[in-house]
Amino acid sequence: MSQSPQNLSAALADVKASDRYKLGWKALTELIGQGRSFSGNESNCCFLNTRDGRFTDASATTGLSLYDDGRAVAVCDWNFDGSQDIWVSNRNAPRVRLLRNSSRGGDWLALRLSGTLSNKDAVGARVVIDLGDNKLRSKTLRAGDGFLAQSSKWLHFGLGNKATILSAKVYWPGGKVEKISGLKINQYHTIEQGKGQALLWKPPTGNSEIKTSKITFNESNDNTRTWLIGRIPLPRLEGIPDTGDSPKLINLWSESCAPCVAEISEWTKHEKQIRDAGLDIFALNVGLLDGTQQKTTHLTFPFNSGKASPEILDVLDIFHRTFVELQQPLPIPTSFLLDKEGRVAAIYKGHVPLSTLLDDVALLSKPESEARDAAVPFSGRWASDLFPPQAIRLAESFAAAGNPSLRKRYLKDYLLRFKSEETRLYLGRILLDENNLEQAIRVFAGISATTENEAEYHRSAGILLLKYNQIRPARDHLRAALSVYKDNPDFRFNLGIAEAGSGNLIESLNHFRACVRMKPTDAVAHFQLGNALQATGKGHDAVTHYRKSLQIRPGWMFPANNLAWLLSTHPDSELRNGEEAIKLITPIIKADGGKNHTTLSTLAAALAETGDFKGAIETTTRALHYAQSVGANDAGLRAALSNYRNGKAFRGK
């Protein structure tokens, strides 16, 4: 045959995104994290229309000349005082800034449009206001004003001083033009399409004020506290024993660092308060790494202490660079606050006041949904639930830093402590890539192969291996569970796929038949049974099940293509029906854009069956072009083309 029928697993194969694109964004994010700027650290600009065909730089006088890494600007009359205010979104902090317009200019007019014949929000509508003396004001309602930004849907017009409105027109989307009456200066109005009348609108009386803040540029301060929105566990680190059911603080210090010594002394002085709070401290000396610095102070530290190994420093540095956006090198002292489950909740750079530390320890005992509020500078309502665990993100950072073994160890340890199907799947893929199938199976299945659950183990392992195209191992595991799950239609379907992929066509056929008996309305089961029947030379029965699949799921490409192929190429003339095949495959080709060499090949066979060899030749030539463009095997297409040029229809088995 010139082609094999469409296979479901091949049709559902993943198409990877561009690795180059991903790497580009990764590199860009790293640069931003290092303190670089999208805008080159240039201040924002504002230009004023001088109404003589020129613009003047008004950045400083308007207060807009901020060194924010601006992304978008949106305007609205936030407090309904007749003046347009500005919202600015930034790449850096503050992420959103409101710049309130306190100026008092001339007259104004605000309109809110509502479409009836056009779209409800009247996006695309244009309003033209005639003020006389050839003074026109026009605005168009647009959707989107920058990156993830949308200005208010109110159209705000500045009218100058002592304005008089002679006329107003709305040019609605779709071409309708409507004159509007009832407009009053310095008022808000709503306009509904088709009414021709503007209605006064009264602004809400609620408090829309936002606490003002003075823009200042403070001197650099090395003392920072970062509370993480979602807590992430550290790997188990040698030298930092598991303290059980209590929070701990990992502190990096050096004897040559005066703030470090002062901090150690403060903790020593307030030992009782710290222990009463339930906190363990691990002070790790980074000055002893090379063995050249000797102990020069005579501190009696009541908590745990030791040497900061290179591995510990690498792990903490990678953790910091992964979850703190500004990726500056860690200073000393730096401390990491961990909850009782070993998850990092806060990072302190520089000296952390004792009161702050104790407050944060108390915060750990609160529900995480409450404690996360400490990660933001102001109260509010969260738009989503807690951030999901980001173990995968940290694991990727370990691998990117050249330590794939730490990545794997960290993920295995994570799954021992926490439940995460996403993380389990990720680790399983790593193990499969390493051809470590047995470990991958155990990770995927999430259970041990014991006598009590042996069948469940084999079933889970087989299905997951099948998902990742490990056909023969999947078949072996599924066979081992057949006696227990023989009456489960989904199990029989999966085993049918595995047997077909292993070349065991009769076994595959039997499993699909069993599946269809148990799930007679399953379109996919009928499709796969049709494939098995066709592969075993039972074309008439295959046609029946392809038709049944299309009856349950009309217009589905795969059974439609395979049915059309059989109707075009089967040796039995009583089964062949070229006209029906053309009717089946033509809408499929139209839907997929006419660039699929498989469906084009089927159409060519159908055309040849009806005697249209010219059409068959032209269609096969197109199919060859698209097959070659994707690197597909074109030997069958070339053989079919030779047949058509000789005036012969294609015949299969």
Side-chain angles (χ1 to χ4, degrees):
M1 60 177 15
S2 70
Q3 65 170 37
S4 59
Q6 282 281 324
N7 182 280
L8 187 61
S9 61
L12 298 179
D14 291 335
V15 179
K16 292 184 178 180
S18 170
D19 290 339
R20 184 178 296 178
Y21 180 81
K22 291 180 180 179
L23 289 172
W25 271 107
K26 182 180 179 181
L28 184 60
T29 302
E30 288 176 355
L31 289 173
I32 297 298
Q34 295 167 10
R36 309 289 183 88
S37 165
F38 270 19
S39 62
N41 291 316
E42 294 181 351
S43 60
N44 294 334
C45 298
C46 176
F47 294 93
L48 179 67
N49 188 349
T50 59
R51 302 181 182 179
D52 59 357
R54 295 180 297 177
F55 291 82
T56 186
D57 190 346
S59 306
T61 56
T62 58
L64 293 170
S65 58
L66 303 165
Y67 279 92
D68 297 342
D69 202 354
R71 301 288 282 147
V73 173
V75 295
C76 70
D77 187 356
W78 176 255
N79 52 357
F80 297 108
D81 64 352
S83 298
Q84 293 279 72
D85 305 301
I86 296 177
W87 284 96
V88 182
S89 67
N90 303 303
R91 178 79 183 187
N92 56 352
R95 292 300 175 87
V96 180
R97 195 192 285 276
L98 174 64
L99 302 171
R100 197 173 66 189
N101 186 356
S102 57
S103 64
R104 291 293 177 265
D107 296 327
W108 55 274
L109 180 72
L111 307 176
R112 183 72 167 90
L113 306 182
S114 176
T116 54
L117 299 175
S118 64
N119 64 87
K120 178 66 176 176
D121 290 328
V123 174
R126 181 166 61 93
V127 178
V128 179
I129 297 174
D130 187 353
L131 303 177
D133 296 331
N134 295 320
K135 295 180 180 178
L136 299 177
R137 299 287 188 270
S138 91
K139 283 187 178 290
T140 301
L141 183 58
R142 306 182 186 278
D145 289 278
F147 180 71
L148 299 179
Q150 168 71 60
S151 293
S152 168
K153 293 175 184 174
W154 283 90
L155 293 178
H156 190 99
F157 295 85
L159 305 179
N161 297 317
K162 300 179 181 180
T164 301
I165 299 176
L166 297 183
S167 67
K169 292 181 180 179
V170 179
Y171 295 79
W172 298 97
K176 298 284 185 181
V177 182
E178 187 175 8
K179 290 185 177 181
I180 305 298
S181 61
L183 294 174
K184 296 185 178 181
I185 292 174
N186 298 329
Q187 296 290 334
Y188 298 90
H189 304 79
T190 59
I191 299 174
E192 184 177 343
Q193 186 177 8
K195 298 290 182 66
Q197 179 73 28
L199 302 178
L200 288 176
W201 182 83
K202 187 177 181 181
T205 57
N207 184 13
S208 62
E209 292 296 314
I210 294 178
K211 185 179 179 181
T212 60
S213 60
K214 187 177 180 181
I215 300 172
T216 59
F217 297 93
N218 299 322
E219 293 184 6
S220 175
N221 189 343
D222 292 331
N223 296 339
T224 60
R225 168 188 177 270
T226 302
W227 189 274
L228 302 183
I229 294 176
R231 301 177 193 173
I232 305 99
L234 283 173
R236 298 187 189 274
L237 299 172
E238 187 176 353
I240 304 178
D242 190 350
T243 57
D245 201 26
S246 62
K248 56 176 171 278
L249 186 78
I250 299 175
N251 170 252
L252 304 177
W253 74 292
S254 172
E255 296 181 21
S256 61
C257 164
C260 299
V261 174
E263 190 172 56
I264 293 287
S265 299
E266 183 181 23
W267 293 341
T268 302
K269 181 179 178 181
H270 298 281
E271 177 191 359
K272 187 176 185 306
Q273 284 181 264
I274 295 172
R275 293 195 183 279
D276 288 345
L279 179 66
D280 282 331
I281 298 178
F282 294 81
L284 304 177
N285 195 333
V286 302
L288 299 174
L289 276 175
D290 58 4
T292 58
Q293 182 174 318
Q294 302 297 319
K295 187 173 181 179
T296 58
T297 61
H298 299 282
L299 296 175
T300 303
F301 190 56
F303 300 99
N304 303 284
S305 62
K307 181 175 78 172
S309 67
E311 182 192 19
I312 291 176
L313 291 179
D314 285 344
V315 167
L316 295 179
D317 184 61
I318 291 169
F319 184 97
H320 171 259
R321 292 177 181 273
T322 302
F323 298 110
V324 177
E325 187 165 343
L326 193 59
Q327 300 177 8
Q328 301 296 331
L330 286 176
I332 52 170
T334 291
S335 301
F336 294 78
L337 179 63
L338 282 64
D339 65 12
K340 62 183 182 181
E341 294 181 299
R343 301 176 300 170
V344 178
I347 302 173
Y348 310 100
K349 288 186 279 187
H351 171 257
V352 52
L354 180 64
S355 58
T356 300
L357 181 59
L358 296 178
D359 287 344
D360 286 349
V361 172
L363 196 58
L364 293 176
S365 63
K366 293 184 176 181
E368 200 168 345
S369 57
E370 296 181 23
R372 67 175 175 175
D373 289 341
V376 293
F378 50 83
S379 60
R381 187 174 58 186
W382 290 88
S384 63
D385 294 332
L386 287 174
F387 284 63
Q390 300 196 65
I392 294 175
R393 186 178 172 190
L394 182 57
E396 279 293 296
S397 296
F398 291 145
N403 199 338
S405 61
L406 177 58
R407 173 182 66 175
K408 192 160 60 177
R409 175 162 62 84
Y410 173 66
L411 291 170
K412 288 180 177 179
D413 181 63
Y414 182 89
L415 289 174
L416 289 174
R417 292 189 284 167
F418 308 99
K419 290 183 178 179
S420 171
E421 292 304 316
E422 184 184 11
T423 305
R424 184 174 299 281
L425 183 64
Y426 179 78
L427 176 58
R429 286 173 176 170
I430 293 173
L431 294 168
L432 280 178
D433 290 341
E434 296 175 350
N435 289 320
N436 196 338
L437 296 183
E438 201 59 39
Q439 285 194 37
I441 292 167
R442 296 180 188 277
V443 169
F444 281 138
I447 55 176
S448 300
T450 63
T451 305
E452 293 79 13
N453 59 18
E454 186 174 358
E456 169 62 17
Y457 165 73
H458 286 299
R459 185 195 68 85
S460 300
I463 291 172
L464 288 161
L465 281 168
L466 187 63
K467 182 178 179 180
Y468 292 96
N469 209 34
Q470 303 291 322
I471 303 298
R472 291 186 181 276
R475 177 205 62 191
D476 294 341
H477 280 285
L478 292 172
R479 281 180 175 179
L482 177 60
S483 60
V484 176
Y485 293 98
K486 62 183 179 180
D487 296 326
N488 183 308
D490 295 332
F491 178 87
R492 298 295 288 270
F493 179 90
N494 285 310
L495 185 50
I497 294 290
E499 295 287 7
S502 303
N504 303 316
L505 300 180
I506 300 301
E507 290 86 346
S508 171
L509 178 61
N510 292 334
H511 291 305
F512 288 130
R513 276 176 169 162
C515 180
V516 166
R517 282 197 304 270
M518 289 181 274
K519 293 180 72 174
T521 60
D522 189 329
V524 180
H526 281 284
F527 166 67
Q528 290 290 11
L529 177 55
N531 289 344
L533 288 164
Q534 184 179 353
T536 53
K538 298 177 174 61
H540 290 77
D541 292 337
V543 166
T544 300
H545 288 281
Y546 286 146
R547 293 192 189 280
K548 184 64 177 178
S549 180
L550 288 171
Q551 181 185 342
I552 300 169
R553 187 172 168 181
W556 190 18
M557 169 185 174
F558 305 124
N561 176 79
N562 291 4
L563 175 57
W565 179 258
L566 271 178
L567 295 176
S568 304
T569 66
H570 199 273
D572 189 346
S573 60
E574 293 185 2
L575 180 62
R576 294 197 305 274
N577 188 331
E579 287 80 6
E580 183 186 358
I582 292 173
K583 290 180 181 179
L584 278 167
I585 200 63
T586 299
I588 301 298
I589 291 174
K590 192 175 291 184
D592 65 21
K595 297 182 179 180
N596 186 320
H597 66 277
T598 299
T599 53
L600 287 172
S601 177
T602 299
L603 176 59
L607 291 169
E609 172 60 22
T610 63
D612 183 2
F613 291 103
K614 181 180 178 182
I617 292 169
E618 290 176 352
T619 305
T620 305
T621 302
R622 287 171 56 200
L624 271 169
H625 169 74
Y626 291 119
Q628 291 166 355
S629 68
V630 296
N633 189 333
D634 62 3
L637 286 169
R638 293 185 181 278
L641 184 59
S642 177
N643 276 357
Y644 305 149
R645 285 171 174 169
N646 292 322
K648 296 180 181 179
F650 191 89
R651 293 288 176 264
K653 298 179 180 179

